[in-house]
Amino acid sequence: MRSIRPSFTARRGRNARRGSSPVLAAVALASALALTATACGSGGAEAGGEVTPSAASEGDGKITIPDDIKDKLKEHGIDIDKWKNGAWKNWDKDDWLREADEYINPIIEGLWDPDRMRDAEDPDNAVDDSDLSGDQGVTDPEPAPVDAKAVAPTYHANAPEAGKVFFDSPEGTMVCSATVVRDPAHPGKSNLVWTAGHCVHAGKNGGWYRNIAFVPSYNNEGMTATQLAGAAKEEVAPYGVWWGDWAQTSDQWIEQGGATGGDGASYDFAVIHVTPEESSGGKSLEEMVGSALPVDFKAPAVTQVESITATGYPAAAPFDGQTLYQCQDKPGRLSLSASDPTMYRVGCTMTGGSSGGGWVATGSDGKPALVSNTSIGPVSTGWLAGPRLGEAAKGVYDSVSEKFAGQ
């Protein structure tokens, strides 16, 4: 099984740079864990990335960058014309914006077309299982693999909160899974999406990912890859494409998270506030999909949780990223560091691409609630692990909600 990391494809002809193959790196590590790595904004109230609602299209098809985005780009020495004509593809370290207040993600209408969404794949990065050695807190025996089961279409009828997050990274076009969650500041009208921190930021050695967008109920009818090849955008994204106009993750992920190793995994979560690429008729994301999950930051201890259901779009073999799957299992405990919170771990055969997908259990009020998200998984065996959501996660969530409370 390949590592559970954001999926990508180096689109030849568009992204010439690829470097060494992550697949080969994964094969070289015979027994390895895979850390999903990439975050977005900090846990503080002012940490995060803001995006202007839209970049308009001129008559010649070029993108017009709004004035506030132009000012932001100028502050960081970025040429406006070059950016709107593709300079966002420049991932040179000196030009890759990293800090929370440097996040730039203007909507580029039509960028996420069906082909581009369908081609996002898994990067297969992995970490050695020696990260689990020694006295690093409580870790239960490795769970038996649980075969992932395909969710029956339509996905909107059976898992309406689930969807995909798409974004661009230095490696190419990437994808994670995500969940629509409630917004306490806007009951019944949430525009909040929960995913993994590594799905928005590269962590300690990188910066913000670009062109972050959420597609709820991706491939709602459960079409095959062959059928999707000729599908219209309305079939692939029936509830629209929603761009992130603000995003936050934990300080720990930004400071510790990386492409390999388990650092930061216990804090690998993020909240994205979204806005529609095209008019939604004034409806919020929650109103469009008809549902949003509550988030439980006081979920029972791992040993007291009877069952967790993990949902996602696995993209690495034997899956292809086009179908929604779920695993249900009683969780165990996983500790990568004695100083970090213990993580949930469940048996599950889902692979890369399912990163960031929601984990649902009976919450502290006895009702279904989001209690975690897919963060890491093994290369050679079938399990997933996710952070237990506590005060740090609540701080990220509340900060994003409060930012838009008056809007």
Side-chain angles (χ1 to χ4, degrees):
M1 171 174 140
R2 299 207 251 168
S3 62
I4 306 304
R5 295 189 62 81
S7 300
F8 82 91
T9 178
R11 296 174 63 80
R12 295 170 178 81
R14 185 173 56 82
N15 288 340
R17 294 183 303 168
R18 177 168 179 140
S20 60
S21 169
V23 177
L24 295 178
V27 172
L29 295 169
S31 60
L33 298 175
L35 171 67
T36 44
T38 51
C40 158
S42 163
E46 297 180 355
E50 189 170 12
V51 199
T52 296
S54 182
S57 178
E58 298 175 348
D60 59 2
K62 295 181 179 179
I63 298 300
T64 300
I65 305 296
D67 289 341
D68 56 344
I69 290 294
K70 288 182 180 180
D71 292 341
K72 237 181 194 182
L73 290 167
K74 288 179 180 178
E75 288 176 8
H76 298 292
I78 297 173
D79 181 273
I80 311 303
D81 292 330
K82 290 182 179 179
W83 180 271
K84 69 181 182 180
N85 289 311
W88 61 264
K89 300 175 187 177
N90 178 9
W91 297 96
D92 292 345
K93 192 172 183 62
D94 291 342
D95 296 320
W96 191 4
L97 304 182
R98 166 178 172 76
E99 301 303 324
D101 61 356
E102 294 177 342
Y103 181 55
I104 297 174
N105 194 45
I107 292 175
I108 302 178
E109 293 183 13
L111 179 69
W112 292 111
D113 60 29
D115 289 341
R116 204 162 189 269
M117 288 189 278
R118 189 179 64 252
D119 288 345
E121 297 178 355
D122 171 64
D124 305 322
N125 289 336
V127 300
D128 194 284
D129 60 5
S130 62
D131 287 336
L132 294 177
S133 65
D135 184 12
Q136 298 175 315
V138 179
T139 292
D140 292 322
E142 183 177 300
V146 173
D147 289 337
K149 295 182 178 180
V151 175
T154 65
Y155 300 153
H156 180 258
N158 295 305
E161 305 88 0
K164 279 190 171 188
V165 168
F166 296 92
F167 55 99
D168 283 297
S169 80
E171 290 80 15
T173 303
M174 304 180 81
V175 64
C176 280
S177 300
T179 307
V180 183
V181 295
R182 293 179 185 175
D183 182 354
H186 296 283
K189 298 183 178 183
S190 175
N191 284 309
L192 302 185
V193 174
W194 192 282
T195 190
H198 71 262
C199 297
V200 289
H201 191 285
K204 61 185 177 182
N205 293 320
W208 297 90
Y209 292 123
R210 298 167 183 165
N211 304 321
I212 297 171
F214 175 67
V215 177
S217 296
Y218 172 83
N219 187 23
N220 187 45
E221 300 290 338
M223 291 183 286
T224 65
T226 300
Q227 292 171 323
L228 281 170
K233 187 174 182 178
E234 292 73 21
E235 295 176 288
V236 178
Y239 297 93
V241 176
W242 298 70
W243 286 66
D245 58 2
W246 186 266
Q248 266 180 245
T249 188
S250 64
D251 290 322
Q252 292 89 339
W253 176 258
I254 290 178
E255 295 168 359
Q256 302 173 16
T260 59
D263 291 345
S266 294
Y267 299 93
D268 184 16
F269 42 75
V271 178
I272 307 170
H273 185 279
V274 297
T275 190
E277 177 177 296
E278 300 176 353
S279 174
S280 63
K283 290 184 177 180
S284 66
L285 175 61
E286 181 177 359
E287 290 172 308
M288 284 293 288
V289 303
S291 185
L293 282 171
V295 184
D296 191 349
F297 300 104
K298 295 183 179 179
V302 177
T303 55
Q304 298 175 2
V305 178
E306 289 300 319
S307 176
I308 280 181
T309 299
T311 302
Y313 286 86
F319 306 98
D320 63 8
Q322 311 309 318
T323 304
L324 186 65
Y325 282 84
Q326 291 181 328
C327 288
Q328 185 174 356
D329 193 21
K330 180 176 176 58
R333 295 166 291 185
L334 175 66
S335 177
L336 298 176
S337 170
S339 62
D340 290 336
T342 299
M343 302 175 72
Y344 291 114
R345 179 163 66 166
V346 297
C348 185
T349 60
M350 284 197 290
T351 60
S354 61
S355 299
W359 290 29
V360 177
T362 301
S364 55
D365 62 357
K367 299 178 181 179
L370 185 91
V371 297
S372 186
N373 57 263
T374 297
S375 176
I376 58 175
V379 169
S380 57
T381 56
W383 56 262
L384 304 175
R388 184 166 179 261
L389 307 181
E391 288 302 313
K394 188 175 187 301
V396 170
Y397 175 77
D398 287 346
S399 182
V400 178
S401 176
E402 291 167 4
K403 168 105 181 141
F404 293 88
Q407 302 180 25

